[in-house]
């Protein structure tokens, strides 16, 4: 989901000085695929289910800057959510806490059932909802991921300001859950179709999803993952293969910030020589690992 979020206190702390001339986005159809129980029975769903299809197929853009006109909902004093003509929410708040609360509220409006699916995935119970095709995923989560107590310790170790963001986001989700409980017509139809109960969101749920996404997006968390494929390539082709698969630097890369505005490296202070040295160490280490053939890949598991 695309979301625009602003807070009065954050405006003066922007990290980059580049002037924004315009902001545009192009998304595939389904920015909000929400279909309520009422929509299911009436044959209609979200008006935004397909309204970006024409833009997507003709390579047109839509405005994505701050202050887009639209229907505004006052969630509570000092906190509003405005949805533009495409249903993209813009959260405006007078405090950082309320900004994150509004973000959780707007995400839950569009993706409450998806949040529940991700929560099941982090608990290793997704197959109970979707079927036996997800049994392997559940097995990996239960075997290799963190326990609830470990997740709670991670959250407790965060600075108070970050804990407040998690708590505010949680409260925003639960605020929409309470709305749905009082207004059944806004219940996502998937909950009825699957007999799933409405969730009560916790900070642990958000922490667990963060860990889940960090591990599965990068590694795919399965025996035939991208990372294991890269390992095969490095063991067979060395530095040449690694450069072809995952180059340290992309020649003639096009950036969104003009060079005259300065650079914003992901690892400030790291030199190209240090990058090359680290790559050589990684390649040497990779060649000491057992070759991940079809039989051995499963034994390697996930990092």
């Amino acid at each position: 989901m695309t979301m625009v979020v602003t807070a009065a206190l954050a405006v003066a702390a922007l990290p980059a000085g580049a002037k924004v001339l315009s902001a545009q986005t192009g998304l595939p159809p389904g920015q909000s695929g929400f279909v309520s129980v009422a929509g299911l029975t009436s044959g209609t769903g979200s008006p935004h289910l397909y309204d970006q299809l024409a833009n997507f197929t003709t390579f047109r853009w839509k405005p994505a800057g701050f202050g887009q006109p639209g229907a505004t909902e006052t969630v509570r004093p000092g906190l509003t959510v405005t949805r533009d003509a495409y249903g993209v929410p813009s959260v405006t708040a007078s405090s950082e806490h309320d900004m994150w609360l509004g973000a959780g509220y707007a995400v839950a409006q569009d993706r409450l059932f998806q949040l529940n699916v991700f929560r099941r995935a982090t608990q290793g119970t997704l197959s109970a909802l979707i079927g036996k095709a997800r049994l392997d995923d559940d097995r990996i989560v239960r075997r290799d991921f963190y326990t609830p107590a470990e997740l709670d310790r991670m959250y407790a170790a965060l600075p108070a300001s970050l804990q407040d963001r998690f708590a505010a986001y949680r409260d925003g989700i639960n605020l929409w859950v309470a709305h749905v409980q009082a207004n059944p017509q806004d219940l996502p139809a998937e909950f009825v179709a699957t007999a799933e109960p409405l969730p009560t969101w916790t900070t642990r749920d958000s922490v667990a999803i963060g860990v889940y996404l960090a591990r599965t997006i990068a590694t795919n968390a399965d025996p035939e993952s991208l990372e294991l494929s890269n390992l095969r390539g490095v063991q067979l082709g060395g530095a040449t293969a690694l450069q072809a698969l995952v180059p340290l630097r992309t020649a003639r890369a096009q950036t969104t910030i003009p060079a005259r505005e300065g650079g914003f490296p992901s690892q400030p202070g790291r030199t190209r020589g240090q990058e090359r040295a680290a790559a050589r160490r990684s390649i040497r280490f990779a060649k000491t690992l057992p070759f991940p053939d079809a039989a051995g890949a499963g034994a390697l598991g996930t990092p």
Side-chain angles (χ1 to χ4, degrees), residues 164-224:
D164 184 67
R165 293 179 184 180
F166 275 88
Y169 190 82
R170 172 205 64 200
D171 292 345
I173 293 174
N174 287 331
L175 188 60
W176 180 251
V177 170
H179 167 88
V180 170
Q181 289 172 332
N183 300 271
Q185 71 275 11
D186 291 332
L187 177 70
E190 296 96 331
F191 283 100
V192 176
T194 60
E196 279 282 283
L198 278 168
T200 298
W201 204 255
T202 68
T203 54
R204 182 193 296 163
D205 292 329
S206 295
V207 173
I209 289 176
V211 170
Y212 182 85
L213 293 177
R215 297 191 68 174
T216 57
I217 289 178
T219 67
N220 238 3
D222 64 61
E224 292 299 321

Side-chain angles (χ1 to χ4, degrees), residues 198-291:
L198 278 168
T200 298
W201 204 255
T202 68
T203 54
R204 182 193 296 163
D205 292 329
S206 295
V207 173
I209 289 176
V211 170
Y212 182 85
L213 293 177
R215 297 191 68 174
T216 57
I217 289 178
T219 67
N220 238 3
D222 64 61
E224 292 299 321
S225 71
L226 177 62
E227 293 298 321
L228 289 179
S229 297
N230 289 345
L231 176 59
R232 289 186 178 95
V234 168
Q235 290 176 336
L236 292 171
T240 301
L242 182 63
Q243 178 62 23
L245 292 168
V246 191
L248 289 174
R249 300 273 179 166
T250 303
R252 298 179 297 279
Q254 299 295 314
T255 62
T256 58
I257 298 176
R260 65 179 180 274
E261 299 287 353
F264 303 91
S266 59
Q267 298 290 332
R270 185 177 65 181
T271 67
R272 296 197 180 200
Q274 290 171 329
E275 288 179 350
R276 290 191 291 268
R280 289 194 294 269
R281 290 195 301 270
S282 296
I283 291 170
R284 286 197 298 270
F285 174 72
K287 290 185 175 180
T288 68
L289 298 175
F291 187 79

Side-chain angles (χ1 to χ4, degrees), residues 1 6 11 22 24 43 91 138-139 195 205 217 231 235 247 275 290:
M1 181 184 74
T6 60
V11 173
S22 67
Q24 298 176 310
V91 178
D138 285 346
R139 173 181 56 82
D205 292 329
I217 289 178
L231 176 59
Q235 290 176 336
E275 288 179 350

Side-chain angles (χ1 to χ4, degrees), residues 76-123:
R76 65 194 216 180
L79 171 59
T80 61
V81 176
T82 300
R83 291 184 176 269
D84 68 11
Y86 291 90
V88 176
S90 175
V91 178
T92 303
S94 56
S95 69
E96 184 177 348
H97 178 276
D98 279 3
M99 179 181 71
W100 284 101
L101 189 148
Y105 182 83
V107 167
Q109 284 181 314
D110 285 347
R111 299 182 181 272
L112 187 59
F113 188 76
Q114 185 181 28
L115 287 170
N116 189 63
V117 168
F118 268 95
R119 184 169 70 162
R120 273 191 171 275
T122 67
Q123 296 171 344

